[in-house]
Amino acid sequence: MSAIDPRALRSAFGTFMTGVTVVTGKAVDGTVVGFTANSFSSVSLDPPLLLVCPGKFLSSYEAFAGCTQFAVNILAEGQEDVANTFASYKGDRFARVPHRQDALGNLLIDGALTQFSCTTHSVVDAGDHAILIGAVQSFEQRAGRGLGYADGQFFSLGLERAALEHSGNTALGGAIITCGDTVLLERTEAGYRPPQCLAKHRDNLRPTLTRDLEARDLPVKLGPAYSVFEDGKTHCSYFLAAEPFTNNGGFEAHPIGDIRKLKFTSQPIADMMNRFALEIQTRSFGLYVGDAQRGDVHHLPERS
């Protein structure tokens, strides 16, 4: 049996869409610790158990591997900044994120969709991670939608559903397809544009675009919506996609760093691609919703 490429395996695991949690706890000396995790699962209702999987690469690993209690905070839509703080910020993470302490002494993140306060049931060694099983002592839940994560990107299902709803008759779907540090673009007389096609109805955008790309020998998996806007009588929806393609389907592969030098078919396309070139540097992507002139980008206000 051939060896498994860890990077390819990580990418394969990443195709499973999950929510995003922040796990909080305390070290033996009382230092508060926390990390962002999508490796979360319910385990049992009777007794009430859940699990998270802290990696041994975490600076706080020993604290969680030896903790007697901890909390799991399921993040809500709009809490990308919280997720990024606990994933990468090197300073005092709790100073940047509003939180409170519950009766058990666990730290709960303000605004989280659901908060589980646990005592440690058991810790199981598992390769380069540990399986931390918690006995749920209490939990709090509020109405709303959770923050999503897939293919290395946050997404908001609620925002996507709302943005894709429209009453127009013409719908256009496009894909911003990356491979490494390049992006696929189509050359036209008016300039460059991402691969795109028309669909009869908005409900058929994803399948129609997927079939069109497959017909060009580009079997990409479309990710979250990235830009949704009305351009005259046309409803435009562009999606993120990334594939280790060997065939470019007749499109041109351009370095992402050269995007600002290119002429695009329209100003909305140019604005979208220039925003993409900036956001890919931090992997902090937003969803633009509006029209061809103005709209809102729904994403975190700053990158930690």
Side-chain angles (χ1 to χ4, degrees), residues 196-201 203-222:
Q196 60 186 48
C197 68
L198 292 174
K200 293 182 179 179
H201 304 286
D203 293 339
N204 294 327
L205 274 175
R206 282 182 180 268
T208 299
L209 180 58
T210 297
R211 288 194 297 269
D212 183 80
L213 294 171
E214 287 178 346
R216 303 191 69 163
D217 200 21
L218 273 175
V220 300
K221 178 179 178 293
L222 297 179

Side-chain angles (χ1 to χ4, degrees), residues 41-252:
S41 178
S42 60
V43 174
S44 170
L45 294 177
D46 186 16
L49 302 174
L50 56 74
L51 69 79
V52 290
C53 297
K56 294 180 179 178
F57 54 83
L58 294 173
S59 60
S60 58
Y61 173 76
E62 294 299 332
F64 283 103
C67 69
T68 58
Q69 60 191 64
F70 64 95
V72 178
N73 302 268
I74 298 179
L75 299 186
E77 286 182 338
Q79 288 194 302
E80 295 94 336
D81 54 338
V82 177
N84 280 297
T85 294
F86 280 93
S88 59
Y89 184 60
K90 303 304 182 183
D92 184 351
R93 297 172 176 181
F94 290 92
R96 296 167 66 95
V97 176
H99 63 280
R100 63 184 175 83
Q101 185 169 283
D102 70 1
L104 192 62
N106 283 327
L107 301 175
L108 307 181
I109 302 299
D110 291 356
L113 187 66
T114 306
Q115 302 151 325
F116 298 98
S117 185
C118 306
T119 55
T120 300
H121 177 274
S122 59
V123 181
V124 181
D125 186 75
D128 55 9
H129 283 64
I131 302 172
L132 175 58
I133 301 176
V136 180
Q137 302 301 315
S138 65
F139 68 93
E140 297 180 19
Q141 181 181 5
R142 67 180 181 85
R145 294 187 176 95
L147 178 64
Y149 190 77
D151 292 323
Q153 302 161 4
F154 295 120
F155 68 89
S156 169
L157 186 59
L159 283 174
E160 283 198 30
R161 284 176 174 171
L164 291 174
E165 291 178 357
H166 85 113
S167 57
N169 294 322
T170 305
L172 180 149
I176 303 176
I177 306 172
T178 58
C179 182
D181 60 356
T182 66
V183 61
L184 289 188
L185 297 172
E186 179 180 15
R187 182 197 292 266
T188 72
E189 291 184 358
Y192 287 101
R193 67 186 185 191
Q196 60 186 48
C197 68
L198 292 174
K200 293 182 179 179
H201 304 286
R202 62 177 174 82
D203 293 339
N204 294 327
L205 274 175
R206 282 182 180 268
T208 299
L209 180 58
T210 297
R211 288 194 297 269
D212 183 80
L213 294 171
E214 287 178 346
R216 303 191 69 163
D217 200 21
L218 273 175
V220 300
K221 178 179 178 293
L222 297 179
Y226 183 68
S227 187
V228 180
F229 59 91
E230 302 288 335
D231 190 2
K233 296 181 179 181
T234 303
H235 171 85
C236 304
S237 297
Y238 289 85
F239 304 90
L240 297 178
E243 283 295 322
F245 51 81
T246 55
N247 170 57
N248 62 11
F251 300 107
E252 298 180 10

